[in-house]
Amino acid sequence: RERLRVLRLGPGTDVDAVYADAVAVDGDAGDERFYGRALALIEVGRAPEAVRILRDLVRRQPNVVEFHTGLGRALLAAGEADASREA
């Protein structure tokens, strides 16, 4: 939901505020929400931050394929093409 809100609001959207509001409302700051936040960060040009989040998610849950593909996407967006092949 939050990622779609960020996409709908467009460039310049404060991703951190959107996600903080959502956590304040329902108290859920689980891995799925971190994954969505990372994808939203990629969309607004903050790929290095997304890389940090996704690396942590992959470390904690190495069997979740979406986290690996998200990390590869973030690495590409951050200009780290060589590292993205290993994600």
Side-chain angles (χ1 to χ4, degrees):
R1 290 176 300 199
E2 294 81 21
R3 180 173 172 242
L4 294 176
R5 183 171 172 214
V6 168
L7 294 174
R8 193 172 54 247
L9 293 171
T13 301
D14 186 348
V15 174
D16 301 317
V18 169
Y19 278 83
D21 289 348
V23 170
V25 168
D26 65 21
D28 179 18
D31 288 344
E32 302 244 344
R33 185 160 275 156
F34 282 110
Y35 174 69
R37 180 172 178 254
L39 296 181
L41 288 167
I42 295 167
E43 296 296 327
V44 298
R46 292 169 56 189
E49 292 174 70
V51 168
R52 285 190 294 278
I53 291 168
L54 289 159
R55 280 190 172 139
D56 183 55
L57 290 172
V58 166
R59 181 187 53 78
R60 289 188 284 122
Q61 294 193 50
N63 296 326
V64 179
V65 174
E66 291 84 358
F67 295 167
H68 287 275
T69 57
L71 177 57
R73 186 173 165 207
L75 287 163
L76 277 173
E80 298 182 41
D82 290 339
S84 71
R85 291 186 194 102
E86 298 171 19

